[in-house]
Amino acid sequence: MMELLRFATAGSVDDGKSTLIGRLLYDSKQVFEDQLESVERTSQAKGYEYVDLALLTDGLRAEREQGITIDVAYRYFATPKRKFIIADTPGHTQHTRNMVTGSSTADLVLILVDARSGITEQTRRHAFLASLLRIPHIVVCINKMDLVDYDETRFKEIREEFEEFAEGLDVGALTFIPISALIGDNVVDRSQKMPWFTGPSLLEHLETVELTPDARSEGFRFPVQLVVRPRSAGAELHDFRGYAGEVARGVVAVGDEVVILPSGFSSRVVAIETADGTLDEAFAPMSVIVRLEDELDIGRGDMLASPTDPPIVSQDIQAMICWMSETPLRPGAKLGLKHTTRWVRALVRGLDYRLDVNTLECDYDAADLSLNDIGRIDLRTTAPLFYDEYSTNRLTGSFILVDEQTNITVASGMILPQNGRRASD
Amino acid sequence: MTYQLTHLDALESEAIFIIREVVAEFERPGLLFSGGKDSAVLLHLAVKACWPQPVPFPVVHVDTGHNFPEVIEFRDRRAAELGVRLVISSVQESIDRGEIVEDLTPGASRNRLQTHNLLKVIEEHRFDAVFGGGRRDEEKARAKERIYSFRDEFGQWDPRGQRPELWNLFNGRHRIGEHFRVFPLSNWTELDIWQYIEREQIELPSIYFSHEREVFYRDGMMLALGPFTTPRDGTSEELFLAQVRYRTVGDMTCTAAVESTAKSPGDVIAETSIARVSERGATRADDRFSEAAMEDRKREGYF
């Protein structure tokens, strides 16, 4: 069975990030001749003596002219084991919002470190963002090992420094791999030059890393996208009433009892349907139609959930947010908020602190959040949200904030644990 | 049982989720349907997303007048089979009415002219969301485009001012006159598309599979002999018969064939897996003008 792995890359041009992606695509034979020819032509025109694989991933004209990456770019490659989606995000300070954007759905993040310069402020920022976004796996690629004579001591120094820093963070599984993206050491094939390293190459790791936690252990969550009630169709569909959506967490089976939020009523699943036929059970992230035993008043934005392990229901939300707009956020702001398939309005009641992503220090006196700032806020919403802490489920623990004048997405939010009540209370 | 989807099931579920979000949140969606393989897959997914109801929104084709007849026949038949409304915007009619002027220099295509008709049909029908079959693996500019791609009242794409797109929380809020292009196939590759076509047995126009055709070489591309494309006198362009298929479907004037014996999606997958030239590089003259050709057209409002 071929699976899908989504990963993000963090690091700057100087760390060799684009070169690494170019190398992965090239060595796994995903680069076509015409693309390579175009890169060879450009390399020659720039006077390089080597083919700059980084050019494979530099997209827009503005980027080529300035030699930087300005936005998230998506790349694709596949091996017989997995299909990979890469969200290639820029490393510059001003583009924290892009790393957050590119990493929000990632199963894994690659953080690049230049073996010569070691851990930098930027490395710390990326590690922090990876922990904030709860990316399950972090792979630290210590790059340019060829420039430090493939020295094991240097590799260990950097690894220890990173581990020490990461102890203060809540990070997922950590893996360290010494590589040279330019030469190809330990990227696809294991390097002969570092016999002291016995771990897998980067690609081997990407192909084998464990993907999903056990879905059965997690409470079922199903935000309703659409109420399906055919009007024009024939008599056989006359009594059809179902709820279309994507399973956001856990598993549901025919016969299961579910609680409906916000009403709190209970019902039983009588059928799980798709265009391809009926199913006995469905799990995240399947798109299905769920039909219930009782006729209840259920609409878009409502949620079907496990009655024994329900979400939290509250209008008072505490969250970490990444502010993504040029116009700063000040307490008192009223914004649109989208959580699962539900839009509400939210009042920013308070800014608890602004977090310095480089030092991890909290500024409790901060008066506002500017572009790329991260801070903890208190929100009051016009209607209750049914949510889980972001740390336990990304899809039911996240939201976006939208400026109601410009309609622009101005923040991404990750809901924190607090004193809200469970739907079963 | 394992609670893990295959890559095709994960991509299918993501696309269905996106289509349903649009159906729920927009008033007047439309789906761009050229008869090409990506739009055939997109329409198939729309049918699944809307099931058990019929697809409630129209399918839209910007017809350059230079299309392959096999594709037009497929377009009309597929729309009729599904009972969906087909809206056609004719580039030829716009030329005849003097709204746009055709570039008649040899080698020019009507590709760029389509933007006029696309924006016009969006305005006339007041579409607020238009589904497209674009994929991020096709081209560098597309690789940076959001799934919900905002267009201002002039239909323009602003690559530097794109809305952040996080998790599966799509923000489709807009003012009157603005619209979104929505790309449910963003994360699919050419290979994924073919594997899905094979698995779902999705019908395609016949020109996607090996057939015999009279062709000639122009600028390294193999073009079909047709009403709008003939070898130019005084050049080395010579007609010959070849076993060919098409990897993409565009105008006859700028879409090139590749030599192939592939008779089925399975054969195409075998060929695609070992292909050494990208889909657009091999067969689309319109992308070869400059490295930034697609980026420039997209800014103007192109697909």
Side-chain angles (χ1 to χ4, degrees), chain A residues 277-415:
Chain A
T278 58
L279 302 170
D280 297 328
E281 59 179 356
F283 55 91
M286 289 169 67
S287 286
V288 294
I289 293 174
V290 174
R291 297 177 67 185
L292 301 177
E293 198 169 59
D294 307 286
E295 242 188 60
L296 296 166
D297 182 16
I298 299 173
R300 173 172 165 85
D302 291 359
M303 184 186 278
L304 313 185
S306 156
T308 52
D309 178 13
I312 300 162
V313 178
S314 179
Q315 276 174 270
D316 294 299
I317 311 290
Q318 271 119 53
M320 294 295 289
I321 64 165
C322 174
W323 190 252
M324 299 172 147
S325 163
E326 307 275 351
T327 316
L329 171 74
R330 296 204 170 80
K334 287 179 183 149
L335 297 156
L337 183 153
K338 190 179 192 189
H339 171 255
T340 64
T341 53
R342 189 175 175 84
W343 282 100
V344 296
R345 296 185 73 216
L347 166 68
V348 181
R349 290 214 293 203
L351 170 61
D352 298 338
Y353 58 79
R354 178 173 58 212
L355 191 79
D356 185 316
V357 292
N358 297 315
T359 63
L360 300 190
E361 278 168 17
C362 301
D363 178 1
Y364 291 94
D365 299 323
D368 58 24
L369 291 180
S370 308
L371 179 65
N372 294 310
D373 277 351
I374 286 170
R376 181 184 161 126
I377 61 166
D378 282 313
L379 291 171
R380 171 83 183 170
T381 55
T382 47
L385 301 186
F386 334 118
Y387 68 90
D388 297 284
E389 290 162 29
Y390 183 77
S391 61
T392 63
N393 188 248
R394 288 155 106 185
L395 291 186
T396 53
S398 58
F399 61 83
I400 55 171
L401 294 174
V402 173
D403 182 315
E404 294 186 307
Q405 301 307 311
T406 61
N407 292 325
I408 289 171
T409 305
V410 290
S412 59
M414 290 138 283
I415 304 178

Side-chain angles (χ1 to χ4, degrees), chain B:
Chain B
M1 94 171 258
T2 61
Y3 294 101
Q4 178 74 38
L5 294 180
T6 65
H7 76 294
L8 285 184
D9 286 329
L11 291 171
E12 180 190 70
S13 181
E14 179 184 78
I16 289 175
F17 177 84
I18 293 162
I19 294 166
R20 286 177 174 165
E21 278 300 278
V22 169
V23 170
E25 293 200 336
F26 289 84
E27 281 174 25
R28 301 175 70 90
L31 183 146
L32 291 170
F33 184 63
S34 64
K37 70 179 190 311
D38 298 319
S39 64
V41 166
L42 183 62
L43 186 56
H44 183 81
L45 288 163
V47 170
K48 285 196 176 192
C50 300
W51 179 90
Q53 306 174 90
V55 174
F57 44 79
V59 298
V60 181
H61 185 224
V62 175
D63 187 346
T64 59
H66 286 174
N67 294 286
F68 288 88
E70 296 92 336
V71 177
I72 296 299
E73 181 274 324
F74 173 76
R75 174 198 75 186
D76 294 343
R77 185 160 50 78
R78 198 75 193 101
E81 282 165 5
L82 293 174
V84 292
R85 190 154 64 92
L86 177 61
V87 172
I88 297 167
S89 179
S90 162
V91 172
Q92 186 62 55
E93 282 175 22
S94 290
I95 292 170
D96 295 343
R97 279 198 294 265
E99 295 165 9
I100 40 179
V101 179
E102 185 163 28
D103 180 355
L104 293 170
T105 52
S109 86
R110 288 181 168 180
N111 198 308
R112 205 160 192 139
L113 299 181
Q114 293 178 90
T115 302
H116 167 84
N117 284 73
L118 177 60
L119 295 178
K120 188 176 144 182
V121 78
I122 288 170
E123 209 169 296
E124 279 173 1
H125 290 260
R126 292 184 289 125
F127 290 124
D128 51 5
V130 183
F131 291 110
R135 310 189 320 264
R136 286 172 176 157
D137 79 322
E138 278 179 87
E139 201 277 330
K140 281 178 170 183
R142 287 210 199 278
K144 305 231 156 171
E145 190 163 7
R146 303 285 192 249
I147 292 172
Y148 268 43
S149 187
F150 175 78
R151 302 302 162 107
D152 66 13
E153 61 269 50
F154 299 99
Q156 297 181 105
W157 179 57
D158 173 13
R160 300 197 77 150
Q162 300 191 88
R163 294 180 184 181
E165 201 162 81
L166 298 122
W167 299 289
N168 60 359
L169 297 171
F170 297 103
N171 172 11
R173 292 197 169 180
H174 60 280
R175 299 190 183 105
I176 291 167
E178 298 168 341
H179 73 277
F180 279 83
R181 305 285 171 81
V182 180
F183 301 105
L185 304 180
S186 287
N187 288 324
W188 298 52
T189 61
E190 182 184 15
L191 187 57
D192 298 329
I193 292 284
W194 279 111
Q195 287 172 339
Y196 191 71
I197 287 167
E198 183 182 43
R199 187 182 89 171
E200 302 283 311
Q201 299 180 310
I202 297 170
E203 195 195 336
L204 296 182
S206 57
I207 65 168
Y208 275 109
F209 302 104
S210 180
H211 57 284
E212 199 167 72
R213 191 180 277 271
E214 271 196 290
V215 293
F216 61 94
Y217 274 107
R218 175 177 294 168
D219 303 331
M221 313 263 259
M222 201 192 291
L223 296 181
L225 174 69
F228 325 105
T229 39
T230 45
R232 290 186 291 243
D233 293 336
T235 66
S236 59
E237 297 174 356
E238 260 178 60
L239 276 179
F240 61 100
L241 265 181
Q243 279 292 121
V244 298
R245 71 176 174 91
Y246 288 84
R247 285 174 74 181
T248 68
V249 163
D251 279 7
M252 293 188 80
T253 55
C254 65
T255 305
V258 291
E259 279 193 85
S260 169
T261 55
K263 294 274 186 202
S264 68
D267 295 345
V268 172
I269 290 166
E271 267 187 21
T272 310
S273 302
I274 54 166
R276 294 307 305 146
V277 180
S278 77
E279 191 176 272
R280 282 196 163 260
T283 63
R284 294 298 277 263
D286 40 336
D287 286 343
R288 296 174 115 209
F289 291 121
S290 83
E291 228 192 322
M294 177 67 95
E295 183 180 340
D296 292 341
R297 278 181 290 143
K298 285 192 80 68
R299 281 173 185 273
E300 291 168 6
Y302 188 72
F303 299 104

